Amino acid sequence: MIPEITLTAWQILLVKIGVILAIVPTMTLVAGYAEHKVMAHLQHRLGPMYPGGFHGWAVLLADGLKFLYKEDIIPERADRRVFSLATFAIFVPAVMVYLVIPVDRSLIVEDLDVGIFYLLAISSVSTIGILMAGWSSANKYALIGALRAGAQLIAYELPIVLSAAVVVMLSGSLSLVDIVEAQNWPFLIWPPGIGLIAFLVFTMASVAELTRPPFDMPVAESEIITGAFTEYSGMRFIFSFFFPEVANLVAFAAIGATLFLGGYQPIVPLGVLEVIPGFVWFTLKTAFMVFLFLWIRPTFPRLREDQLQKFAWKVLIPVTLALILVAGAWVLYAPEALR
Amino acid sequence: MPEGYFGQYVTIGIFAIVGTVLVAATLQLSRLVRPNHPTTAKLTTYESGIDPIGHGWSQSNVRYYIFALLFVVFDVEAVFLFPWAIVFEELGTAAFVEMVIFIGILALALLYAVKKRVLEWL
Amino acid sequence: MPVIERGDVGHVRERLDSDFGTRLKDLRINHGHLDVIVQPHDLVELVTFLRDAPGLRFRFFTFLSGVDRSAFGPEDAEDKPHPLEVLIHLYSPDHVLHVTIHVPVDPADPVCPSINRVFAGALWHERETHEMFGIDFDGHPNLSNLYLPEDFEGRPLLKSFKLPSRMVKDWPGAKDPEEAAAGGR
Amino acid sequence: MAIDQQRVGDRTPVHDPAEIAKIVSGANLETEQMVLNVGPQHPATHGVFRLLATIDGEVLVDAQPIIGYMHRGYEKLVEARDYRQITNLVSRMDWLSGINNELPLHLCLEKLMEIEVPERAQYMRVVMLEMNRILNHLMFFASFGAELGAITPTFFAFREREDIQLALEMATGGRMHFGFFRPGGIREDVPRGFFAQALKGVRQVMARLDQYEDLLVGNEIFKQRTIDVGVLDKEIAYNYGVSGPIARGSGIDFDVRKDEPYLVYDRFDFEVQSAPNGDCFDRFWVLVREVVESAKIVEQAIEAMPSGPIMGKVPRVIQAPAGEVYVRTENPLGELGFYLISDGDRRPYRLKIRTPSYNNVSVLPHVLKGQMVADMIAILGSFFFVLGDIDR
């Protein structure tokens, strides 16, 4: 069907770069627009309606253009070098997460054999960027925001890592493709409860990791303006705050879809459903996760910083530790139920 | 040539560079079109609309430090956990019991921290 | 101790009359509220009494302010009111009673004891009265300006303080409705 | 507790080895206190309100409210205006409840001038006052949610406000500053359709409020954020003259409409809502329940609306005879009192305006001390205040 094209490794790399550079901003724009619209409709209003004509689809493009024309202000007392470096430290990891997510059976930029490890590692690099931003701003709100962000991101890193460990135990591999392949049976439901609890823990911790409401204390506007990014303006603000936030939102949705919802596999292993290509399944599952995240935002008020820490250390982490033991016992003593 | 095990990481390295260039290029583009009229007021640190009192860098509550320490402990645990998670099925009960003990010790540590009230914010 | 009926302000007058006797001047009932005139040195004692006395319990602090009566009434009136006074209003939520305390102070050297130890709510009110009328409150921890800039001169609510825009034309709305109905608008 | 002045003024980071050594050796291991300004330009303060907070980590060591950014000197201005003009001036104090601000002045005049207000005007006033109270309370319902990070209640509350807003607009032509009361009555009779619109508005609020309330009051996070936070003791509340929903949230069963009914409030069946604990939750709960009570009053008033004139016998020139009177009314935020001293002129000789927010906010330092920064916002939000009402 498709003529055999042979590409050199460098050409393949170029294609990969092109694909990622096309997909990541598009995903971000779509998710950002979805956020506007989903929230608006949940709140009985219309949301953006004018930019672009049809239901305001171009509102984020217009927004981006506006920010491009905005003055870039770095406060006098800020540490200029760290201040500008922070943008990169936040933005670059947000893009690099996408490298290892398997969109389809063979549609993956790099199928690392420690894919899940890479994913967890790279998604937590931005913590450093946020701390850099907060500290270098020499602003009190920024400092409080950065410290909150630091404490929160590391506290919720653990439930994510540990719930991912559960998945690794059940699938027996660190490669994301293998993990997806291992989910050709309803992973979420069987073995009883384990996957579901891990999924819930992962979702909650992801919301915290994304610093979205109800865990948005690091950027709580009614308390500390925009936290670490209070002093950022113009394009720099987009790159350090808005873009990574939405890009990470999609990334975590994709990770959730990959680890728990069976990635590019059909929801149930039925012959009829196999006809639908894998990336469609993947996109649907990711969209579902994104909607879940968007749904949570207008529903809850914000927690307080100490309550959030308590929730992580006293609820989520003990639960996942116990889950690991249960999953281990299950794999060892009832393996026939798995495969 | 980006091939094999090492090649995969070359891709990752290249992507890091691409991301960096993307940001730098857009910031440069923005520099071409945006205005630049810094004034003293604009360059002042924001503090709810009045002149800032004192400096923004201050020693903060050590509470954060304890959370960071706890994090290190548990993150190291996670590092141990992943290799074990792949192979424990082959190693059998002995490895599982070892991990139970390991996690048990950590759980005890967490319990100790709770009892010592270091997880209380105030 | 007889408990005072709801809203029975006459009893309050009797109570005050018997307990404070001659130290209070002019106990009047005015539109259902009791008006009391007390000298500054008796003020704290009176306020404490009003707050704590069983059966009275004026424990709700309504407001504290001042009045400059120096321009009150016609120029040649016989009994001129005291030119400057502190005005305190207290309310008894238990018995639905009001009392208005008038404290005449010397306009040349306006000093009045602070009641912030009895009613902490008076702190801001005394600051405001200080900057608006120039009355000093003895025992107030911090009489700095609440509203006006630190370098503001004059005491705005005194009658001697004229609004700059009113120096030329005393009152822009002086046109009579009668005139307006008859003539142009 | 005192802030290290030298450090506060010092803008450079520590470089001196000796000083670093001193810090490291533990001679100075305590955390530094930071002076944090909240306001005047801060998203969580309604208007130009400033809170000078000394914080240690995330704990408030001290908090001083600083006001006066929008002092307009109404007490002086009214002395140069006649009574007709004052109506529109005072409605700008608490801009969320304009029509409620107009009332006490007219009550003062009606008392001094001994004017009889016709029944229809009294009922009409009650309808408008209570509708305005609903508007005000819904506004704070919205803003309190927003301050706690719940964005959705804002939009719901604003949607509910709109129908009531529309009814008031039909009658008065205004949305915030109505200027509708006159000594002896109201400006003009309401247009056709007003009652239907008003009933629609309040019934909608009554029907939907429970759902909206569940969004916050029934939410576990909301409870954790507000219960036992910012407790205001009952005696302290009395001592500072705190009134309105804030006082009632501290277990003070205190409502001018019930204690000393003015207008025709004694003819309606409504309850004074109060809650015993004095924390943020109780204050908010009282506020929400009061919306329902107000809606009940509006319904009853419209049902019992008498016909007849809307203005009493009022002399052409409004000129209060010499005398003094203190009139207090239940403003949405608490007790609003006007102490009017008249010397028989067309202008007041002195008008002391006792606004609810002023006393309510003055108790803030007491409540805030020792709280966390995050709680500070919840507490500020639960001390429903309007800046114009504080600064006058």
Side-chain angles (χ1 to χ4, degrees), chain A residues 140-159:
Chain A
K140 288 163 194 164
Y141 300 112
L143 182 65
I144 297 174
L147 286 173
R148 282 183 178 189
Q152 174 171 337
L153 295 186
I154 62 171
Y156 280 84
E157 190 69 34
L158 289 172

Side-chain angles (χ1 to χ4, degrees), chain A residues 10 71 110 135 140-141 231, chain B residues 1 42 46 48 53 57:
Chain A
W10 285 111
E71 187 170 357
E110 282 301 340
W135 184 257
K140 288 163 194 164
Y141 300 112
E231 293 289 359
Chain B
M1 287 284 112
K42 271 186 204 167
Y46 170 80
S48 297
I53 299 173
W57 287 308

Side-chain angles (χ1 to χ4, degrees), chain C residues 13-133:
Chain C
R13 182 164 70 169
E14 283 166 28
R15 273 287 287 284
L16 280 178
D17 219 13
S18 63
D19 284 38
F20 269 77
T22 50
R23 288 193 282 172
L24 298 180
K25 255 174 51 189
D26 200 22
L27 281 160
R28 278 184 302 124
I29 295 173
N30 175 20
H31 290 282
H33 298 190
L34 187 67
D35 266 328
V36 178
I37 298 178
V38 67
Q39 291 306 313
H41 50 84
D42 288 331
L43 174 64
V44 176
E45 200 185 332
L46 172 70
V47 174
T48 316
F49 173 78
L50 283 172
R51 186 190 66 176
D52 296 335
L56 293 180
R57 303 291 277 140
F58 284 91
R59 53 185 172 154
F60 184 84
F61 171 76
T62 319
F63 70 83
L64 179 151
S65 188
V67 192
D68 174 11
R69 292 186 196 268
S70 57
F72 192 87
E75 291 276 324
D76 50 350
E78 297 236 325
D79 53 336
K80 279 260 184 201
H82 191 87
L84 188 62
E85 68 180 35
V86 172
L87 197 63
I88 301 167
H89 190 100
L90 300 178
Y91 172 61
S92 165
D94 304 351
H95 310 293
V96 196
L97 295 165
H98 297 262
V99 59
T100 313
I101 304 168
H102 303 260
V103 190
V105 291
D106 179 9
D109 176 27
V111 182
C112 175
S114 167
I115 59 163
N116 76 73
R117 284 176 203 289
V118 191
F119 288 105
L123 281 169
W124 277 20
H125 290 262
E126 284 174 357
R127 270 170 79 181
E128 189 190 348
T129 309
H130 172 74
E131 68 180 308
M132 294 299 170
F133 290 93

Side-chain angles (χ1 to χ4, degrees), chain A residues 150-218:
Chain A
Q152 174 171 337
L153 295 186
I154 62 171
Y156 280 84
E157 190 69 34
L158 289 172
I160 288 186
V161 169
L162 294 178
S163 60
V166 174
V167 173
V168 170
M169 287 167 72
L170 292 177
S171 63
S173 171
L174 288 175
S175 154
L176 287 166
V177 172
D178 291 349
I179 288 174
V180 173
E181 289 292 335
Q183 297 180 56
N184 53 7
W185 34 269
F187 205 80
L188 201 58
I189 310 161
W190 195 258
I194 299 175
L196 194 62
I197 295 172
F199 174 66
L200 288 179
V201 169
F202 175 85
T203 312
M204 280 189 265
S206 300
V207 175
E209 198 70 2
L210 291 164
T211 63
R212 290 175 62 82
F215 304 116
D216 63 336
M217 294 68 107

